[in-house]
Amino acid sequence: MVKGIAVSPGIAIGPAYLYARVSFDVEKRSIDSKLLKNELVRFEDAVRRSERDLKKIISITREKLGENSVTIFEAQMLMLRDQSLYPEVVSCIENSRVNAGFAVQSVMTKHRRMMEASGSEYLRERANDLLDIQDRIIRHLRRGRILSSVDENSIVASENLTAADIILFSRRGILGCVTDFGGPTSHVSIMARALHVPAIVSTHGITNEVKSGDILILDGITGEVIVNPDEETLAHYVNKRERYSRLVQEDKALVPLPAETLDGHHVGLQANLELREELVQLAEYGAEGIGLYRTEMALLMEGRALVTETEQFSQYLEVVQAASPAATTFRILDLGGDKMLPMGNREHNPFLGWRGIRIMLDKMELLVPQLRAMLRASAFGPVRILLPMVSSIREVRSFRAIMDKTMEELAAEGVAFDPKVPMGVMVEVPSVALAADQFARETDFFSIGTNDLTQYVLAVDRGNDLVAHLYDEMHPAVLQLIQMTTKAAKAAGIPVSLCGELATNMRAIPVLLGLGVETFSASPIYLPGMKRVIRAMKLSEGQALAKKALIASDPAEFRAVMDKWLEEHACGVSFFLDGKHSA
Ligand code: PEP
Ligand code: MG
């Protein structure tokens, strides 16, 4: 058994196809000065052919997934003639008098290494795009054929895959894919989810464990890959696959239905997003707007530290228009902690250090353009602005003052915006929950971030395997803080939502509603499954379960209570409790 990160849910069973991405190693050749012109023509010709490939990939993507999904490839198209790449290859050919293939390889490798070394997940992903482009151009220089071809109905195992690979594979009806590297926000993961192809990434060695033709079970719910299973295991997974696909069908039917408890209490279900490519999922999974738009990804582009106000505005505009008439909640850049810091600072305790709003209030050159871009987007649809990592009311006041001043400036410039844009805080540092009354008087909404709240309440680093067993999002202390927050919000008449991973935990949903949470925001694929639990419960049941949860001294005992409740009420879900399920 090999374990990785499940990034696209579902169960696949079938033969493995070991796919090796071909990266050519091009030898250096000197080019006679009389033939340099010819070499430049060859390079331009290969770029043109690559553009033609990408156009084809874009048209397949558009047809299969719609307009919003093509941006990944449009970005690659732009990279082909990028201001810092194309001219550098040309001057490398001219000045070093080398063959086009070698020039492409050396220039692109240099840029790629810089991106890979940046420590930023986003730039590493761009590095992957660059490799794809490099391979494409070199293949055309050699007049090679496109090699994204695999056996039909197979499970593709590969070191790494690109978004283009998976688009082309999907035409061969692949059953699933599994890679050695990659992360949940990599383009392959996004594409796999969009195409409903079960996928697992970051196995660190699947390609060493399997050969083409081996039978694989890929469990995109738990992240497990089983190689050449015995009869009994196979039968278990065939059954799981069937039950899962039934659940998905049922969940699909839930998409147009309201998220309402049996006693008529409406629950808001919104989306957590971070990339424009994910916007298609809003309608697909029935999200009522965006409860959390993380801006870390969108702000880092193509080797430059941060994108400009204009570029941010055009991205935010697209997001607002896709979510409208429902609201988009943009979160101010949450750098620091485990997220990359372009300023390159090193801290002993990054999670207790310079992070989120702390950085932004110190760095007006980051905050003001972002805030202006968000406010400008608010002229085109409802926008809310959310502050990360707030711990003191002073931060809220400082931000409010900057927002007022920014609004005055925009008004003076004659730029349109919504002057009533709500400003809310993430409740993710315990001080905010404990003083929620005070915060509720000076903010327009709360969004409870249980991922961080849990780590700060329990003093357990959310990314440290050594203490992972202590990370308990349903610890009574965490639940008490959630309740204090919802009570304060209710008393002040402001909305409160919960946007941490806990929202997708089937065992937690009844309890959280019982504690007074009104709205959940989660990755869209989980929304139908969450709705299933909501529609199977009464609010009064949630309140009774919450009472028990608040005094539960043994987590295992309380889990058993919830499992029993789910088994009796939300039939079908309990089978998938050990991993999240979704359509
Ligand atoms: C959280 O802390 O719960 C949250 C939603 O924010 P992030 O995971 O981006 O820190
Ligand atoms: Mg957080």
Side-chain angles (χ1 to χ4, degrees):
M1 206 254 291
V2 181
K3 191 135 173 64
I5 304 172
V7 291
S8 178
I11 314 276
I13 304 173
Y17 183 92
L18 204 57
Y19 174 75
R21 278 188 57 78
V22 186
S23 287
F24 300 100
D25 203 12
V26 186
E27 274 185 27
K28 185 174 178 176
R29 277 187 294 115
S30 306
I31 302 291
D32 190 280
S33 54
K34 283 192 249 88
L35 294 174
L36 276 181
K37 197 140 188 247
N38 181 44
E39 209 56 21
L40 291 171
V41 170
R42 282 184 66 232
F43 171 56
E44 171 57 28
D45 183 51
V47 168
R48 255 192 231 140
R49 284 170 191 273
S50 303
E51 280 171 337
R52 217 178 304 149
D53 287 354
L54 282 167
K55 269 194 196 132
K56 184 171 155 211
I57 291 166
I58 286 172
S59 100
I60 300 170
T61 310
R62 187 174 284 130
E63 184 190 311
K64 278 185 168 265
L65 297 173
E67 193 56 38
N68 275 322
S69 297
V70 304
T71 47
I72 291 173
F73 304 113
E74 281 173 350
Q76 286 195 7
M77 189 84 109
L78 291 178
M79 273 178 157
L80 276 173
R81 295 196 184 269
D82 185 282
Q83 293 291 338
S84 56
L85 286 174
Y86 189 98
E88 201 176 324
V89 175
V90 169
S91 63
C92 182
I93 297 171
E94 285 174 338
N95 301 338
S96 311
R97 296 185 180 180
V98 290
N99 48 323
F102 183 78
V104 168
Q105 178 173 286
S106 55
V107 169
M108 299 221 171
T109 305
K110 186 183 87 189
H111 282 263
R112 231 179 48 237
R113 296 252 157 85
M114 278 180 335
M115 290 176 174
E116 280 164 356
S118 75
S120 142
E121 198 183 329
Y122 186 81
L123 289 185
R124 279 204 299 269
E125 188 56 34
R126 294 290 77 70
N128 211 18
D129 283 337
L130 200 53
L131 179 63
D132 207 24
I133 291 167
Q134 174 183 329
D135 288 346
R136 204 173 286 289
I137 299 177
I138 292 175
R139 200 157 51 215
H140 283 303
L141 282 167
R142 300 177 145 219
R143 301 269 164 185
R145 279 190 347 105
I146 302 237
L147 290 170
S148 288
S149 162
V150 294
D151 282 357
E152 272 181 36
N153 296 320
S154 61
I155 296 176
V156 178
S158 177
E159 257 185 44
N160 220 334
L161 290 173
T162 66
D165 289 331
I166 191 156
I167 283 288
L168 296 169
F169 293 166
S170 72
R171 302 217 295 176
R172 312 273 301 163
I174 57 161
L175 302 171
C177 58
V178 48
T179 61
D180 289 335
F181 305 108
T185 51
S186 65
H187 286 160
V188 213
S189 306
I190 293 167
M191 282 293 166
R193 282 195 290 271
L195 292 161
H196 302 282
V197 171
I200 294 174
V201 299
S202 192
T203 56
H204 296 288
I206 188 74
T207 51
N208 296 330
E209 302 291 326
V210 303
K211 352 181 248 316
S212 287
D214 280 347
I215 295 300
L216 295 188
I217 294 172
L218 187 150
D219 186 334
I221 300 162
T222 61
E224 288 162 359
V225 187
I226 299 162
V227 187
N228 294 325
D230 58 31
E231 288 290 310
E232 198 185 327
T233 312
L234 196 59
H236 170 79
Y237 278 95
V238 167
N239 179 25
K240 186 169 180 179
R241 184 177 61 185
E242 261 159 42
R243 293 184 67 166
Y244 181 77
S245 76
R246 222 177 307 141
L247 202 61
V248 168
Q249 285 313 316
E250 288 171 20
D251 278 354
K252 266 203 197 121
L254 290 175
V255 169
L257 302 179
E260 217 168 74
T261 60
L262 293 169
D263 45 359
H265 177 79
H266 180 82
V267 180
L269 287 185
Q270 300 173 336
N272 285 359
L273 300 182
E274 50 195 317
L275 293 165
R276 286 130 84 203
E277 290 84 355
E278 297 171 317
L279 289 171
V280 275
Q281 297 180 3
L282 286 174
E284 188 178 359
Y285 296 105
E288 304 164 62
I290 303 173
L292 170 63
Y293 194 89
R294 292 182 169 100
T295 55
E296 293 78 44
M297 289 288 187
L299 245 107
L300 292 156
M301 270 176 70
E302 297 177 23
R304 279 175 294 147
L306 293 160
V307 305
T308 62
E309 175 189 327
T310 313
E311 286 164 324
Q312 289 185 63
F313 169 66
S314 85
Q315 293 188 27
Y316 299 160
L317 178 61
E318 205 182 311
V319 176
V320 167
Q321 285 174 333
S324 183
T328 298
T329 311
F330 285 118
R331 189 171 69 183
I332 294 290
L333 193 59
D334 185 18
L335 292 178
D338 59 345
K339 299 178 185 108
M340 58 284 168
L341 210 54
M343 292 71 101
N345 301 49
R346 291 261 176 270
E347 297 173 87
H348 283 303
N349 262 320
F351 274 113
L352 300 182
W354 204 41
R355 183 183 169 191
I357 196 69
R358 301 171 180 183
I359 296 182
M360 296 306 270
L361 289 175
D362 288 347
K363 293 255 164 210
M364 286 303 121
E365 68 273 29
L366 295 182
L367 179 57
V368 173
Q370 183 171 45
L371 188 53
R372 282 176 60 97
M374 288 174 179
L375 289 170
R376 285 169 61 190
S378 75
F380 298 86
V383 164
R384 308 195 306 168
I385 293 178
L386 178 59
L387 313 186
M389 190 63 189
V390 167
S391 61
S392 132
I393 198 79
R394 272 182 322 210
E395 290 159 332
V396 174
R397 290 178 187 156
S398 305
F399 183 85
R400 180 78 81 182
I402 294 163
M403 186 152 108
D404 288 346
K405 186 159 167 270
T406 308
M407 285 185 174
E408 276 168 29
E409 284 166 4
L410 287 172
E413 291 165 28
V415 177
F417 63 93
D418 170 12
K420 292 205 162 55
V421 165
M423 186 259 284
V425 292
M426 290 287 293
V427 181
E428 55 185 352
V429 176
S431 60
V432 178
L434 290 163
D437 294 338
Q438 194 188 1
F439 281 91
R441 281 195 295 274
E442 303 200 27
T443 54
D444 303 316
F445 65 96
F446 283 154
S447 184
I448 305 174
T450 45
N451 306 342
D452 278 311
L453 188 61
T454 306
Q455 82 163 343
Y456 292 129
V457 174
L458 303 180
V460 177
D461 181 342
R462 66 193 252 190
N464 183 341
D465 287 344
L466 291 175
V467 286
H469 61 289
L470 294 172
Y471 187 87
D472 176 9
E473 294 160 290
M474 288 190 73
H475 190 293
V478 178
L479 300 181
Q480 269 197 42
L481 292 180
I482 293 174
Q483 192 179 41
M484 290 177 79
T485 308
T486 61
K487 276 190 176 160
K490 198 160 277 174
I494 63 169
V496 56
S497 62
L498 189 145
C499 63
E501 287 297 307
L502 186 59
T504 64
N505 180 330
M506 303 297 152
R507 291 186 181 98
I509 290 168
V511 172
L512 294 170
L513 291 179
L515 291 173
V517 173
E518 299 163 350
T519 296
F520 292 117
S521 190
S523 227
I525 50 168
Y526 299 120
L527 298 178
M530 292 159 66
K531 196 183 279 182
R532 168 190 291 264
V533 177
I534 293 164
R535 290 176 60 86
M537 66 175 276
K538 286 196 189 125
L539 186 60
S540 54
E541 281 175 304
Q543 285 158 346
L545 289 164
K547 264 193 196 141
K548 285 188 193 168
L550 282 166
I551 51 163
S553 51
D554 180 356
E557 235 169 64
F558 187 70
R559 270 167 78 104
V561 170
M562 285 314 300
D563 288 359
K564 183 155 172 282
W565 186 89
L566 285 167
E567 185 69 54
E568 286 165 5
H569 294 78
C571 56
V573 160
S574 52
F575 189 71
F576 296 102
L577 274 180
D578 291 333
K580 293 166 193 165
H581 89 280
S582 71

